[in-house]
Each structure stands twice: as structure tokens, then as C-alpha cells.
Amino acid sequence: MSLQFQIHSTAGSARRATLALPHGAVETPVFMPVGTQATVKAIPQHLLEELDVRILLGNTYHLYLRPGHETIRRLGGLHRFMSWGRPILTDSGGFQVFSLSDLRKVTDDGVAFRSHIDGSSHFFSPEHSMDVQIALGSDIAMAFDECTEYPADRSRARASLDRTLAWAQRSRDHFEAHKHGAPWAQRAAPSVQRSENGADASSDPLQGKIPSLFGIVQGGMFADLRRESAERLVEMDFPGYAIGGLSVGEPRELTREMIAATLPLLPAGKPRYVMGVGYPDEIAEYARMGVDMMDCVLPTRAARHGLLFTSEGRLNIKNRQYAEDHNPPDPACNCLVCRRYTRAYLRHLMQAQEPLSAVLNTLHNLAFYLETMRKVRNDVAANGKPQQPHLADAPMKR
Amino acid sequence: MSLQFQIHSTAGSARRATLALPHGAVETPVFMPVGTQATVKAIPQHLLEELDVRILLGNTYHLYLRPGHETIRRLGGLHRFMSWGRPILTDSGGFQVFSLSDLRKVTDDGVAFRSHIDGSSHFFSPEHSMDVQIALGSDIAMAFDECTEYPADRSRARASLDRTLAWAQRSRDHFEAHKHGAPWAQRAAPSVQRSENGADASSDPLQGKIPSLFGIVQGGMFADLRRESAERLVEMDFPGYAIGGLSVGEPRELTREMIAATLPLLPAGKPRYVMGVGYPDEIAEYARMGVDMMDCVLPTRAARHGLLFTSEGRLNIKNRQYAEDHNPPDPACNCLVCRRYTRAYLRHLMQAQEPLSAVLNTLHNLAFYLETMRKVRNDVAANGKPQQPHLADAPMKR
């Protein structure tokens, strides 16, 4: 079993569902906090659990470079390495290779690049991206894609789309051949599931489970190319689909338009993931349009710069006006930061460059994002039509 | 009531006692984590509570400069400002004025200096230090002293000692005249303790409580000057006494010698505090010699540099040898870090310069220090002679 996606109710295009993954269940629509380097910056894992984070995103490019995917494999995989027992989705490394590395050279075979850390030379192909993600042991791996830059003209967007589709097929072929090599899938395999006294450890919750691979729709800002990308990708039959190449500098209306043009072309019974979005009102809007999964560095990165998201809008906690403000960051929020600390204190921590500033600001922003999704889920459950309970099991073809 | 110090049992010179302060009870011997800028660096307050931290140290110099003691007073005092309901001890600011500020000029009246933050000009006198500490609302304030540098010759140590004693008297006089001005003491005063419906709010736990002032023994590394300093200070009758001017660069044996020479001269029924020490074996040793309170930046500062204290000695988590070490930092430790994370993971966080590194390293080191003191307390309780229960109430003279 790779994943199960059970839709409980729908309201318009929005769906309230449960995504069952090897490491646990995720209630969707879901926002996935980003844990780039095997950590959601500044937050201990037990506090992520207390926030009810159900799934994290890890960055393949960063983990490949440091500490290295083979190191993580030898330490039992990313879940064990970072002590996170719930699901993990990894990106393909493609986006960071294009945005962070130096001297990259792209061919149909893959991407040669130099590390942003030490300048060392590396090469990523679809096959290598799969090997790295399997070594990390993510619950959901992503096909290696070329994230089309913005702006890109039609011929550039088409070439990038063609390359991404060819890479999707290679990603899929390699992933299918090697996915049982995920560290936890190996541990849970029957051959190593006999304890010393010979008892069958068939109760291992990972028994019989395998990771899944999602395909990624590209096509720049051209609705017809998005359509073509989606249709050809769906023919390959992935257990879930992402819409990539958005939130790369284009106007917000264009992001929305591309999502709206693409969503109806993706199978209704499978999870749909929009990568790299967005502001709180955006993720709520996209969820209502039928997006099931989203991730973004915004809540965590903005927090470290003192930008807090609240029910009253954005709040720059560095501002002098908060120096003696005894109110919580968001009076309508019930997170552990808002229950306990004042704006004046958070401003002081920022002014004094105290590390606790990043911890508390991030905790609040994550709580706000998670609550935003919780409200959408509750709305869909309360106002939507119940679905006949059925399991839209989506195994990949062999 | 300022403080009560109840000794439960003694073993040799060591004492197991309870120090009752306005904001709660502290079991001694105790190690006090340092929260310089109204935060123990990187640690949320609820995790300090979970560690069973009972008392924190705040730095008067830093809080005076940023955010300013009047700001903190207007926000209800340091406890409210940082959301810490348990006791706080503040230093006098003297040590930081001498060690951190620029262009300082010392006269018998006080110290003129420039801020290390922005170069602005300031003046600290004993009276001003008391005003600042009362505005912060600490449970225990410290007399303004001149921390004698090391090395210092006899005449320099004597001059510094004489100045410190003169300042102790001025500190005491000013503190006695103004101590009821602590923000929480004002809130708890009967005149403002009537709620809107006229009910008497006499159940306020701070009702009738006031802060305390400790005197500080100086005298450099001269046992006879330490004796003179202690004797003249005891004549002033403080509710507790600190031994200052140690751990300033002198050999460890000399630190121990000065503590040993001074402790017998301090009243047995009152708390004794050695400032700015030390390594885990040192704080255990000093506690067994009869020291009741200690503070040091070592566990928190070392943590941020990757130095972990363990039952097996010091461990520099940056070392390559830990890159694939799946053991916890200290196999004998039961803290939330050692229960959950490996050395390999903590090394990775350090290498990747992740903010979670400071959080987890600090949590472990604090847990180790607190456990070190807990063991000493348990030893004294298990092997010592019980004291007749009596309250060594130590009000200051009026």
C-alpha cells in the first residue's frame, strides 16, 4: 500500500479528505510546514506535534548536500534522523538546483551544478533524485522537474514542459524499480521482521507499506500548455499530482488562473498539491478551489523577520508602536504564544536579536496557518455534501 | 515578608533548604539559569517550567539599556513582561558595567559609562541600581558592587572592597526606602486590592510580600580581605549574602579557597550565593561546601557553541566523530533531548547552523545542571541530619 485518499465531503470544488500515508494519516486540505534541513527552523519536534502538524516537507537538495542522503540512510532514514514519526514529503531537488546552486548546466540528461555551500560539483538526474528521495525515506517523493522561471515565453515554457514530462517518465520508472529500498520499507519487510525470539513482528505499522511518487504539472503561465502537461502526466498514472512553477514572481491573479485551469484536468479521486504557496488568504482560497495540499516557507521565514500573520492582518512586530503593547500578537488566536506573551515582549526579543524571537514568532505563524486550514476543513465538513465512504486507493502501475 | 529560608537537613557543611520568595519556593542548593535580556537564550518559558527551573537570573545592565526599566515597570514588571511567574534574582549591573561598557569612569559616587549597544552615556550609582531593580520587580536584588578584576594587588583589592562596602550601605538604605515600589508589591498592596464588586482580594499570593536585597562580599584573592569584607557586610544585616569577584580568571583552586575562607563567616541561617560559577563538578563541590545558590552563563553559552555537559564528561558535538553516532548526547540523561535525538542529529543542526541547535543543546545542558543540583539535594536529604523545623525568617532591619 502506497497511499489512500478518502474524500469525506465536498463543498463546491473543495474536498475534505484523509490522506493515509505509511507514517500516518493527514487531514486535508493541509498546509505542510517546510523543514528544509531536517528541521522546521527553530522549532523542536515535540512542539510541532503539539501544534498538530501531520506532515512536513523536507528539501532533497539541502539534505543531499548536508548531511548527505547516504548518511541519513545509514541512520535509518529521515524520520529516524530527525525524530519525526509522522509523514514527510520531499521535493525533487529541482527547484533548489535551479534557484540556489551556482554554475548549473542543464541537459536532457540532468543538471550539473556547484554546491552553494562549498562550490563542489554535483549532478542531478531524475534517477539520482529518486535514489536520494528513496534513501531519505519520504512518504511522498516528487518527480524531478524543471521549474519554469517567470517570465518565460511560449517556446521556453514548451521546452521546459517537454523536458519535465520526459523526466517524469524516467522518475517514475526508476522510482518503481527501487521504492522498496526506503529504509523503513526495508526494516518492515517480512524477511527482517523476526525478532530474536522468533516472534513475527507483523504488527509493525509500516509492514507492507511503500512510498509514493507524485508527478508535477508545468507549462509556465500558458493555460493550454498547463492543460497539455496535465493530460500527458495523468496518462502516466501517478497516485497524486502537483502543480509546480507557480509563486515564482507572477501576479497573484495569474497564479489563481493557472490553478483554476489545471485542477479540473487532474483526477478527482487523487490528491492535488500546489507547491510553494502562499499567504493565509491564498491557501484558504486555493483549498476552496479544490487543492488538497500546499507548502510554503512564508510562515516560517516571515516569522524570523518579525512578520506575524494574524486575524487582523499582517503585523510587523519590530515596529516601535508595539514597544509597550501588552496585547497578544493576535487576540483571536489561542496558540501557546498568544496565550502567554505580549507584542511588547516579542518586539523586545526581536530588537535584542534573541534566538527566542524566531522560536515564538514561528510557533505563532505556524499555528495561524494550521488554524486557517482547520477552518476550511470544518467549513467543508459542515456545509458540504457527504461522500459515500469509499477508498480511492491509488496504487501506481507496475 | 521578604524571604524565608528553612533548612531541612545538613550533611557536613552542605544544607538542603527551601528558600521561600514572593513568587514561589526554591529548593536549595540551586543553580539559577541566566536570562540576560528577559529570556534564557532560545528557550520558551513553558519549557523552563517543564525543566522545573524555579528561579531565573536577570541582568540589570542589559534590561536597563533595552528595553529600559521604566518600560518594564509600565508593563507590570519583569515577571509579567517575560511571562515568568516564578522567582527572579537580578544582579546589580555592576559586573556588566565593568566588563561590557566602553569608556567607563569610576568615582566614589558611581560609574559613568557608554552603552555597548549604541554608545550613549549613562551613570550607575548604588541608588540608581536599586531604582532599576525595584522597577524590574525582582524577588532578590543585589547590592551595587565593584567586581574586583583579576589579578589585583592588595592595595587595589582593599580600595575596591572599601568602595563596595560603602556602596552596600547606600544600596541598603535606598532599597529599604523604596522597595515597596516594586510593580507587583504595588499591585498587591491592600489599597488597590479591591475588585470592582468590592470583594477583598486578599488571596493575592503576593499580598504583603516585598523584595529582598543581598550584600556582596569582595576582597580579591586575599583571604583576610574576604574576611574583613564578610564581617563588615554581616554587620549591616542583609537577608542573604553573595560571594562575588570569583570566576574572573583565577585558578580554580583559588576560587575554592576563597569560597572556603568566606562561607564560615556568613550567618548559617541565611542563604549564601556564589556568583558566576561554574562547571558541573564545581557547582556540586561548592554546594557540598555549603553554598546554597549559584548562577552561570556556562551551560547556556557553551550549548550555543556545541559544548554539551554529560555524565561521561564534556562533548563537543561539532566533532566529526559524531556524524553518524546514533546515541543520545548523554545515555544516562532522561531529558527531552536525550530521550528523542541523536548526537548525529545535533551535530547536523550545528553544522547546518540551524536555530534548533541552540534550542536543543541549551535544553540538554540546563537539564544536566539542574539534575546535578537535584542529586546534591537528594544526597544531603538522604545522608544528612534533619534540622528541627524552624523558619529562619530574615527580614531586613528598618
Side-chain angles (χ1 to χ4, degrees):
Chain A
M1 197 280 285
S2 53
L3 67 77
Q4 290 181 321
F5 187 64
Q6 182 175 3
I7 299 173
H8 307 296
S9 55
T10 58
S13 303
R15 314 97 77 71
R16 164 78 184 85
T18 301
L19 174 62
L21 294 168
H23 286 85
V26 179
E27 304 308 316
T28 67
V30 66
F31 177 81
M32 305 184 286
V34 178
T36 299
Q37 300 193 109
T39 156
V40 175
K41 289 194 189 300
I43 309 299
Q45 274 69 315
H46 79 285
L47 296 186
L48 296 173
E49 291 167 355
E50 288 176 21
L51 282 171
D52 201 27
V53 171
R54 296 290 186 93
I55 179 170
L56 288 183
L57 186 141
N59 282 120
T60 293
Y61 168 85
H62 289 89
L63 295 168
Y64 158 79
L65 288 177
R66 187 171 55 197
H69 60 295
E70 290 299 346
T71 289
I72 291 179
R73 185 209 296 276
R74 283 190 292 271
L75 288 164
L78 184 55
H79 293 84
R80 276 202 182 176
F81 177 62
M82 66 183 288
S83 184
W84 176 254
R86 301 181 184 181
I88 294 175
L89 179 149
T90 47
D91 63 7
S92 70
F95 181 76
Q96 278 78 22
V97 164
F98 288 98
S99 62
L100 289 181
S101 68
D102 298 323
L103 294 170
R104 62 186 173 276
K105 188 175 169 221
V106 190
T107 64
D108 285 343
D109 196 29
V111 189
F113 63 95
R114 288 185 185 276
S115 158
H116 75 290
I117 299 171
D118 61 5
S120 54
S121 294
H122 301 269
F123 185 79
F124 253 63
S125 64
E127 291 77 15
H128 187 55
S129 171
M130 296 306 107
D131 286 340
V132 174
Q133 294 184 74
I134 289 167
L136 297 176
S138 42
D139 294 81
I140 298 176
M142 300 302 298
F144 191 65
D145 66 326
E146 185 179 82
C147 179
T148 314
E149 68 280 2
Y150 178 84
D153 66 21
R154 188 174 178 82
S155 66
R156 165 69 193 131
R158 160 157 292 289
S160 181
L161 150 66
D162 286 337
R163 173 170 282 153
T164 289
L165 283 165
W167 286 358
Q169 186 64 54
R170 284 167 57 191
S171 293
R172 194 184 172 296
D173 293 345
H174 197 81
F175 186 81
E176 286 304 297
H178 298 279
K179 65 186 179 185
H180 291 279
W184 47 264
Q186 289 190 307
R187 280 199 304 275
S191 62
V192 295
Q193 276 305 308
R194 301 229 163 237
S195 64
E196 285 185 359
N197 61 13
D200 187 9
S202 60
S203 63
D204 187 315
L206 291 166
Q207 179 82 50
K209 296 185 179 170
I210 46 173
S212 300
L213 179 70
F214 280 19
I216 304 178
V217 175
Q218 290 287 348
M221 301 301 156
F222 303 92
D224 60 331
L225 295 185
R226 289 273 168 187
R227 168 181 295 271
E228 180 183 335
S229 175
E231 286 173 350
R232 288 169 60 188
L233 206 62
V234 169
E235 283 173 18
M236 294 184 206
D237 192 19
F238 287 90
Y241 297 89
I243 305 178
L246 295 179
S247 205
V248 290
E250 78 280 8
R252 177 173 170 167
E253 183 47 42
L254 207 46
T255 317
R256 194 191 171 287
E257 196 180 305
M258 290 301 114
I259 294 173
T262 310
L263 280 178
L265 306 169
L266 301 176
K270 294 185 178 182
R272 306 150 168 178
Y273 164 28
V274 174
M275 309 179 80
V277 292
Y279 282 97
D281 57 328
E282 291 174 315
I283 61 171
E285 180 183 13
Y286 303 153
R288 293 205 160 88
M289 290 165 64
V291 174
D292 306 300
M293 305 161 69
M294 285 165 277
D295 79 282
C296 196
V297 295
L298 189 55
T300 44
R301 183 175 291 166
R304 299 195 298 282
H305 292 94
L307 186 68
L308 302 182
F309 298 101
T310 79
S311 59
E312 300 168 355
R314 300 175 206 170
L315 185 154
N316 187 337
I317 200 64
K318 292 197 296 282
N319 284 352
R320 169 170 285 276
Q321 72 187 95
Y322 304 122
E324 299 196 1
D325 188 335
H326 64 272
N327 291 298
D330 183 353
C333 177
N334 193 36
C335 81
L336 75 81
V337 179
C338 289
R339 285 200 310 268
R340 179 149 197 171
Y341 302 100
T342 63
R343 293 172 180 173
Y345 183 62
L346 296 187
R347 177 181 189 268
H348 164 69
L349 293 179
M350 197 88 209
Q351 292 293 112
Q353 298 177 290
E354 279 288 345
L356 185 59
S357 173
V359 179
L360 298 184
N361 291 352
T362 302
L363 280 173
H364 168 74
N365 275 358
L366 283 181
F368 188 78
Y369 266 64
L370 295 170
E371 180 62 19
T372 297
M373 285 293 97
R374 195 174 294 120
K375 282 177 184 159
V376 174
R377 290 198 301 271
N378 289 346
D379 280 356
V380 176
N383 305 318
K385 290 180 297 191
Q387 295 279 301
Q388 290 303 322
H390 74 281
L391 293 179
D393 195 358
M396 294 181 71
K397 283 184 189 164
R398 284 169 189 273
Chain B
M1 198 278 285
S2 53
L3 66 80
Q4 291 182 319
F5 187 65
Q6 182 174 6
I7 299 174
H8 306 296
S9 55
T10 59
S13 302
R15 314 97 75 72
R16 164 79 183 83
T18 300
L19 174 62
L21 295 168
H23 287 85
V26 178
E27 304 307 315
T28 67
V30 66
F31 177 80
M32 305 184 286
V34 177
T36 299
Q37 300 191 108
T39 157
V40 174
K41 287 190 189 304
I43 310 299
Q45 274 69 317
H46 79 284
L47 296 186
L48 295 173
E49 290 167 355
E50 287 176 21
L51 283 170
D52 201 26
V53 171
R54 296 291 188 91
I55 179 169
L56 288 183
L57 186 141
N59 283 122
T60 293
Y61 168 85
H62 288 90
L63 295 169
Y64 158 78
L65 288 177
R66 187 171 55 196
H69 61 295
E70 289 300 345
T71 289
I72 291 180
R73 185 209 296 273
R74 283 191 291 271
L75 288 163
L78 184 55
H79 293 85
R80 277 202 180 175
F81 176 63
M82 65 182 290
S83 185
W84 176 255
R86 300 181 183 181
I88 294 174
L89 179 149
T90 46
D91 63 7
S92 71
F95 182 77
Q96 277 78 21
V97 164
F98 287 98
S99 62
L100 289 181
S101 69
D102 299 322
L103 295 169
R104 63 186 172 277
K105 188 174 169 222
V106 190
T107 63
D108 285 342
D109 196 28
V111 188
F113 62 96
R114 286 185 186 274
S115 159
H116 75 290
I117 299 171
D118 63 4
S120 54
S121 294
H122 301 270
F123 185 80
F124 253 63
S125 64
E127 292 77 15
H128 187 55
S129 171
M130 296 307 106
D131 285 339
V132 174
Q133 294 183 75
I134 289 166
L136 297 176
S138 42
D139 294 82
I140 298 176
M142 299 301 297
F144 191 66
D145 66 326
E146 183 179 85
C147 179
T148 314
E149 69 280 2
Y150 178 84
D153 66 19
R154 188 176 179 80
S155 67
R156 165 69 192 132
R158 160 156 292 288
S160 181
L161 149 67
D162 285 336
R163 172 170 283 153
T164 289
L165 283 165
W167 285 358
Q169 185 64 54
R170 284 166 56 190
S171 294
R172 193 184 175 295
D173 292 346
H174 197 81
F175 185 81
E176 286 304 297
H178 298 279
K179 64 186 178 185
H180 292 278
W184 47 265
Q186 288 190 307
R187 280 199 304 274
S191 62
V192 295
Q193 277 303 308
R194 301 231 162 232
S195 65
E196 285 185 359
N197 61 13
D200 187 10
S202 60
S203 63
D204 186 313
L206 291 166
Q207 178 82 51
K209 295 183 179 172
I210 46 173
S212 300
L213 179 70
F214 281 20
I216 304 178
V217 174
Q218 290 287 349
M221 301 302 157
F222 303 92
D224 60 330
L225 294 186
R226 288 274 169 187
R227 168 181 295 272
E228 180 183 335
S229 174
E231 286 173 351
R232 287 169 59 187
L233 206 60
V234 170
E235 282 173 19
M236 293 184 207
D237 191 19
F238 287 91
Y241 297 89
I243 305 178
L246 296 179
S247 203
V248 289
E250 78 280 9
R252 176 174 171 166
E253 182 49 42
L254 206 47
T255 316
R256 193 191 172 288
E257 196 180 304
M258 290 302 114
I259 294 173
T262 309
L263 280 178
L265 306 170
L266 300 177
K270 294 186 179 181
R272 304 150 168 177
Y273 164 29
V274 174
M275 308 179 81
V277 293
Y279 283 97
D281 57 327
E282 291 175 314
I283 62 171
E285 180 183 14
Y286 302 153
R288 294 205 161 87
M289 290 165 64
V291 174
D292 306 300
M293 305 161 70
M294 286 165 278
D295 78 283
C296 196
V297 294
L298 190 54
T300 43
R301 183 175 292 166
R304 298 194 301 280
H305 291 93
L307 186 68
L308 303 181
F309 297 102
T310 79
S311 59
E312 299 167 355
R314 299 177 207 170
L315 185 154
N316 187 337
I317 200 65
K318 291 197 297 281
N319 284 351
R320 170 171 282 277
Q321 71 186 95
Y322 304 121
E324 299 197 3
D325 189 335
H326 64 273
N327 291 298
D330 183 354
C333 176
N334 193 37
C335 81
L336 73 84
V337 179
C338 289
R339 285 200 311 268
R340 178 149 199 172
Y341 302 100
T342 62
R343 292 171 181 174
Y345 184 62
L346 295 186
R347 178 182 188 268
H348 164 70
L349 293 180
M350 198 86 212
Q351 292 293 112
Q353 300 177 291
E354 279 288 346
L356 186 59
S357 173
V359 179
L360 298 184
N361 290 352
T362 302
L363 280 173
H364 167 75
N365 274 358
L366 283 180
F368 189 79
Y369 266 65
L370 295 170
E371 180 62 20
T372 298
M373 285 291 98
R374 197 174 293 119
K375 283 178 183 159
V376 173
R377 290 199 300 271
N378 289 345
D379 280 357
V380 176
N383 305 317
K385 290 180 297 191
Q387 294 279 300
Q388 290 302 322
H390 75 279
L391 294 180
D393 194 359
M396 295 179 73
K397 281 182 190 167
R398 286 175 185 267

